[in-house]
Amino acid sequence: MSTTPQVVDVALARPRIRPLRWVFGVVLLVLVAQFAWFLVTNPRFEWSVAGTYLFDPNILRGLGMSLLLTVIGMVLGSVLGVLLAAGRLSDFTPVAWACGVYVAVFRGIPPLVQLIFWFNLGYLLPRISLGVPFGPTFLSWPTNSVISSLTAAIIGLTLHEAAYMAEIVRAGILAVDGGQRDASRAMGFTARQGFVKVVLPQAMRVIVPPTGSQFISLLKGTSLVSVIAMADLLYSVQVIYNRTYEIVPLLIVACAWYLVVVTVLSLGQRRLEQHFGKGQR
């Protein structure tokens, strides 16, 4: 008597029913519907007022200042971060140690504290001078005339961002296998050519995702400059609701613009990740 095993067509197999997933889905749908109902039916949100101020010129100027601070802080922070990463990877111990101390200090101090400190630098240093150390002074300016709200914001955000970018760049470079450098030298590349053409393209796969996240975090972090009277998006919103007492709808306007800009930046980050990750797909 033959015992031929029965052949089952996998294509006809039905997926297994998972009741817990259905229960979780229904509960999640109910919670989302309840939250949406709360947003729509609660008159205290004052959606009409929020719509009125959405494209207010003062709000748009504040948004422009937030974007400007983000771009300046990211560009300067990235340049300084690359130099710090190179210093940390250097064989020259004093430079590596100094860069490591910088990263530890500026990553450890909250950005809000740094902004307030730089804004009040005139208390510690009444005048900023250029000259020979421990020698004659050639030029000198009152600190309060140099360190304005804008200057303090750029300095604070740049130095804070540089510390994080240094670690991101350093991690990306270290993620590339050492054999890649040996292979580039075997192909006749110089150290610089090997880094630019072999190491850096591979490191970018590791560098781009956290860099994009840092860019978005920096954009949101610009809201901190409102404490030093910098006319960013949040400060512009605060000026209006301090006059009209329409706090919630003005905060909704700020949230809406932050969400729009972050969404656009997230899409750009995704495109960059796809570009530098072509070889991994």
Side-chain angles (χ1 to χ4, degrees):
M1 183 176 180
S2 62
T3 57
T4 304
Q6 185 178 2
V7 179
V8 179
D9 190 355
V10 179
L12 300 177
R14 295 182 178 181
R16 187 175 61 180
I17 298 176
R18 294 180 171 86
L20 289 179
R21 289 189 177 184
W22 284 95
V23 172
F24 179 77
V26 171
V27 171
L28 183 61
L29 183 62
V30 170
L31 292 176
V32 171
Q34 184 177 9
F35 181 68
W37 181 258
F38 170 72
L39 293 177
V40 173
T41 60
N42 193 329
R44 297 185 177 182
F45 281 109
E46 301 181 74
W47 292 104
S48 59
V49 177
T52 302
Y53 285 105
L54 189 61
F55 295 100
D56 184 271
N58 294 321
I59 299 293
L60 295 179
R61 279 194 292 270
L63 175 62
M65 179 57 68
S66 294
L67 293 174
L68 178 64
L69 289 175
T70 303
V71 173
I72 293 176
M74 193 67 195
V75 171
L76 297 180
S78 298
V79 172
L80 182 56
V82 170
L83 296 177
L84 289 169
R88 293 207 66 187
L89 295 172
S90 173
D91 295 332
F92 189 44
T93 303
V95 172
W97 181 83
C99 294
V101 170
Y102 175 96
V103 170
V105 170
F106 283 93
R107 282 206 308 171
I109 301 176
L112 179 59
V113 177
Q114 295 184 42
L115 290 171
I116 297 174
F117 177 84
W118 291 112
F119 187 64
N120 293 278
L121 182 63
Y123 175 77
L124 292 176
L125 190 65
R127 298 188 68 85
I128 297 177
S129 304
L130 291 178
V132 179
F134 305 105
T137 299
F138 303 133
L139 298 173
S140 179
W141 304 272
T143 301
N144 290 331
S145 66
V146 177
I147 306 297
S148 61
S149 298
L150 177 61
T151 309
I154 292 175
I155 293 174
L157 295 175
T158 297
L159 296 181
H160 177 76
E161 191 66 21
Y164 282 90
M165 286 304 301
E167 291 300 277
I168 291 173
V169 174
R170 186 175 70 92
I173 294 174
L174 292 178
V176 179
D177 187 83
Q180 298 294 318
R181 299 177 179 84
D182 297 334
S184 66
R185 285 194 292 268
M187 295 175 63
F189 289 165
T190 64
R192 180 180 176 277
Q193 290 174 332
F195 178 79
V196 173
K197 296 182 179 181
V198 178
V199 176
L200 187 59
Q202 298 181 67
M204 290 299 291
R205 290 200 302 267
V206 180
I207 293 173
V208 167
T211 300
S213 298
Q214 277 300 119
F215 193 85
I216 293 172
S217 297
L218 182 59
L219 170 67
K220 295 182 291 185
T222 57
S223 61
L224 298 174
V225 303
S226 61
V227 300
I228 58 174
M230 189 69 212
D232 72 314
L233 176 58
L234 180 59
Y235 184 82
S236 301
V237 164
Q238 290 174 332
V239 169
I240 296 176
Y241 73 57
N242 285 335
R243 186 180 69 249
T244 63
Y245 299 103
E246 296 168 326
I247 299 176
V248 172
L250 266 301
L251 290 177
I252 290 175
V253 171
C255 293
W257 278 117
Y258 280 123
L259 285 174
V260 168
V261 177
V262 168
T263 301
V264 173
L265 293 178
S266 299
L267 294 175
Q269 176 185 349
R270 184 177 302 176
R271 294 293 299 272
L272 284 175
E273 290 179 9
Q274 292 174 351
H275 174 73
F276 287 105
K278 289 178 180 178
Q280 298 298 310
R281 295 198 305 271

Short mmCIF file of all heavy atoms in Angstrom, two decimals, residues 2 12 19 21 53 92 123 140 145 163 165 167-168 174 176 191 195 232 257:
data_model
loop_
_atom_site.label_atom_id
_atom_site.label_comp_id
_atom_site.label_asym_id
_atom_site.label_seq_id
_atom_site.Cartn_x
_atom_site.Cartn_y
_atom_site.Cartn_z
N SER A 2 0.68 2.11 -0.96
CA SER A 2 1.54 3.30 -1.09
C SER A 2 1.09 4.39 -0.14
O SER A 2 -0.11 4.56 0.13
CB SER A 2 1.51 3.82 -2.53
OG SER A 2 0.19 4.22 -2.86
N LEU A 12 -2.81 28.54 -2.45
CA LEU A 12 -4.21 28.49 -2.01
C LEU A 12 -4.37 28.59 -0.51
O LEU A 12 -5.49 28.58 0.01
CB LEU A 12 -4.86 27.19 -2.51
CG LEU A 12 -4.88 26.99 -4.04
CD1 LEU A 12 -5.48 25.65 -4.39
CD2 LEU A 12 -5.64 28.14 -4.71
N PRO A 19 -6.98 37.19 16.10
CA PRO A 19 -8.03 38.04 16.72
C PRO A 19 -7.47 39.20 17.52
O PRO A 19 -8.08 40.26 17.57
CB PRO A 19 -8.79 37.05 17.62
CG PRO A 19 -7.85 35.91 17.84
CD PRO A 19 -7.04 35.80 16.60
N ARG A 21 -4.96 41.09 16.81
CA ARG A 21 -4.68 42.19 15.90
C ARG A 21 -5.95 42.95 15.56
O ARG A 21 -5.96 44.18 15.48
CB ARG A 21 -4.02 41.67 14.63
CG ARG A 21 -2.60 41.18 14.83
CD ARG A 21 -1.95 40.89 13.48
NE ARG A 21 -0.56 40.47 13.63
CZ ARG A 21 0.27 40.23 12.62
NH1 ARG A 21 -0.17 40.40 11.37
NH2 ARG A 21 1.51 39.87 12.83
N TYR A 53 -4.64 83.79 11.36
CA TYR A 53 -3.24 84.15 11.61
C TYR A 53 -2.23 83.26 10.89
O TYR A 53 -1.03 83.49 11.01
CB TYR A 53 -2.95 84.08 13.12
CG TYR A 53 -3.53 85.22 13.90
CD1 TYR A 53 -4.66 85.04 14.69
CD2 TYR A 53 -2.95 86.49 13.85
CE1 TYR A 53 -5.20 86.09 15.43
CE2 TYR A 53 -3.48 87.54 14.58
CZ TYR A 53 -4.60 87.34 15.36
OH TYR A 53 -5.13 88.38 16.09
N PHE A 92 47.43 62.56 16.51
CA PHE A 92 48.06 63.54 17.39
C PHE A 92 47.22 63.66 18.66
O PHE A 92 46.13 64.24 18.66
CB PHE A 92 48.18 64.88 16.67
CG PHE A 92 49.00 65.90 17.41
CD1 PHE A 92 50.21 65.56 17.99
CD2 PHE A 92 48.57 67.21 17.51
CE1 PHE A 92 50.97 66.49 18.67
CE2 PHE A 92 49.32 68.15 18.18
CZ PHE A 92 50.53 67.79 18.76
N TYR A 123 28.65 90.30 30.50
CA TYR A 123 28.88 90.37 31.95
C TYR A 123 30.28 89.87 32.30
O TYR A 123 30.96 90.43 33.18
CB TYR A 123 27.82 89.54 32.67
CG TYR A 123 28.03 89.46 34.17
CD1 TYR A 123 27.71 90.53 34.99
CD2 TYR A 123 28.57 88.31 34.75
CE1 TYR A 123 27.92 90.46 36.36
CE2 TYR A 123 28.78 88.23 36.11
CZ TYR A 123 28.44 89.31 36.91
OH TYR A 123 28.65 89.24 38.27
N SER A 140 39.20 96.84 19.47
CA SER A 140 38.38 96.50 20.62
C SER A 140 36.96 97.01 20.40
O SER A 140 36.76 98.09 19.83
CB SER A 140 38.97 97.12 21.90
OG SER A 140 38.14 96.81 23.01
N SER A 145 27.56 95.26 22.00
CA SER A 145 27.28 95.71 20.64
C SER A 145 27.58 94.63 19.61
O SER A 145 27.10 94.68 18.48
CB SER A 145 28.09 96.97 20.32
OG SER A 145 29.49 96.67 20.30
N ALA A 163 29.00 69.73 18.02
CA ALA A 163 29.35 68.60 18.87
C ALA A 163 28.64 67.33 18.41
O ALA A 163 29.25 66.24 18.38
CB ALA A 163 28.99 68.93 20.32
N MET A 165 27.34 66.79 15.31
CA MET A 165 27.77 66.45 13.97
C MET A 165 29.15 65.78 13.98
O MET A 165 29.44 64.92 13.15
CB MET A 165 27.80 67.69 13.08
CG MET A 165 26.43 68.19 12.67
SD MET A 165 25.44 66.94 11.84
CE MET A 165 26.50 66.54 10.44
N GLU A 167 30.27 63.67 16.18
CA GLU A 167 30.08 62.26 16.49
C GLU A 167 29.41 61.52 15.33
O GLU A 167 29.72 60.36 15.07
CB GLU A 167 29.23 62.12 17.76
CG GLU A 167 29.96 62.58 19.02
CD GLU A 167 31.23 61.77 19.25
OE1 GLU A 167 31.13 60.66 19.82
OE2 GLU A 167 32.32 62.23 18.85
N ILE A 168 28.50 62.19 14.64
CA ILE A 168 27.85 61.55 13.49
C ILE A 168 28.85 61.26 12.38
O ILE A 168 28.89 60.16 11.82
CB ILE A 168 26.70 62.44 12.98
CG1 ILE A 168 25.56 62.49 14.00
CG2 ILE A 168 26.18 61.96 11.63
CD1 ILE A 168 24.47 63.47 13.67
N LEU A 174 34.09 55.60 10.79
CA LEU A 174 34.51 54.36 11.44
C LEU A 174 33.68 53.17 10.97
O LEU A 174 34.12 52.01 11.14
CB LEU A 174 34.41 54.51 12.96
CG LEU A 174 35.40 55.47 13.60
CD1 LEU A 174 35.15 55.57 15.10
CD2 LEU A 174 36.84 55.03 13.34
N VAL A 176 33.01 52.37 7.99
CA VAL A 176 33.58 51.82 6.75
C VAL A 176 34.72 50.87 7.11
O VAL A 176 35.62 51.23 7.87
CB VAL A 176 34.08 52.95 5.83
CG1 VAL A 176 34.68 52.38 4.55
CG2 VAL A 176 32.94 53.91 5.50
N ALA A 191 45.87 59.02 -0.29
CA ALA A 191 45.02 58.96 0.90
C ALA A 191 43.78 59.85 0.72
O ALA A 191 42.66 59.47 1.09
CB ALA A 191 45.81 59.39 2.13
N PHE A 195 39.88 58.56 0.36
CA PHE A 195 38.84 59.02 1.28
C PHE A 195 37.64 59.57 0.52
O PHE A 195 36.49 59.25 0.82
CB PHE A 195 39.40 60.08 2.22
CG PHE A 195 38.38 60.63 3.18
CD1 PHE A 195 38.03 59.93 4.30
CD2 PHE A 195 37.79 61.86 2.92
CE1 PHE A 195 37.07 60.43 5.18
CE2 PHE A 195 36.84 62.38 3.79
CZ PHE A 195 36.48 61.66 4.93
N ASP A 232 11.90 84.66 16.25
CA ASP A 232 11.67 83.46 15.47
C ASP A 232 10.16 83.19 15.41
O ASP A 232 9.35 84.03 15.78
CB ASP A 232 12.42 82.29 16.10
CG ASP A 232 11.78 81.84 17.40
OD1 ASP A 232 11.46 82.72 18.24
OD2 ASP A 232 11.60 80.63 17.60
N TRP A 257 2.93 75.21 11.23
CA TRP A 257 4.09 75.55 10.40
C TRP A 257 5.27 74.63 10.70
O TRP A 257 5.99 74.22 9.77
CB TRP A 257 4.48 77.00 10.60
CG TRP A 257 3.65 77.95 9.80
CD1 TRP A 257 2.81 78.93 10.25
CD2 TRP A 257 3.57 77.99 8.37
NE1 TRP A 257 2.22 79.58 9.20
CE2 TRP A 257 2.67 79.03 8.02
CE3 TRP A 257 4.17 77.27 7.34
CZ2 TRP A 257 2.36 79.34 6.70
CZ3 TRP A 257 3.86 77.57 6.02
CH2 TRP A 257 2.97 78.60 5.72
#
